[in-house]
Amino acid sequence: MTPPLDVLVVGAGPTGLALAAQLRTYGASFRIVDRSLDRVHESRALGIQPRTLEALAGFGVTDKLVSCASNGEFKFVSPFVVC
């Protein structure tokens, strides 16, 4: 039997993943569910706005994100996995 969850996050898009990252910093237990079986494989954006980088700084991923993008290593980024 799985332990009870504090939060169920519905949707693994940018908002859901950001919420999950924030919940993790507070030590909350959560599960992410999404109707899609896989991530998207096409590009949805060509860049990240400076304000978005400021918001991501609180998760501690900004430096690594910029480094990966600058080196051409950028493949997949979420609040949990960078490059």
Side-chain angles (χ1 to χ4, degrees):
M1 183 173 182
T2 60
L5 297 172
D6 295 320
V7 179
L8 177 64
V9 178
V10 179
T15 303
L17 293 176
L19 174 61
Q22 192 68 28
L23 290 168
R24 185 180 207 187
T25 64
Y26 291 116
S29 62
F30 60 89
R31 175 164 296 149
I32 303 171
V33 296
D34 193 87
R35 67 179 165 199
S36 298
L37 299 177
D38 196 5
R39 65 181 180 86
V40 296
H41 295 281
E42 71 278 356
S43 176
R44 297 260 176 119
L46 297 176
I48 296 178
Q49 298 296 320
R51 179 64 187 114
T52 302
L53 288 173
E54 290 173 9
L56 291 173
F59 299 123
V61 299
T62 304
D63 291 338
K64 182 70 173 168
L65 178 62
V66 170
S67 172
C68 290
S70 298
N71 295 331
E73 300 172 9
F74 185 80
K75 293 184 179 106
F76 177 67
V77 175
S78 78
F80 309 107
V81 180
V82 179
C83 293

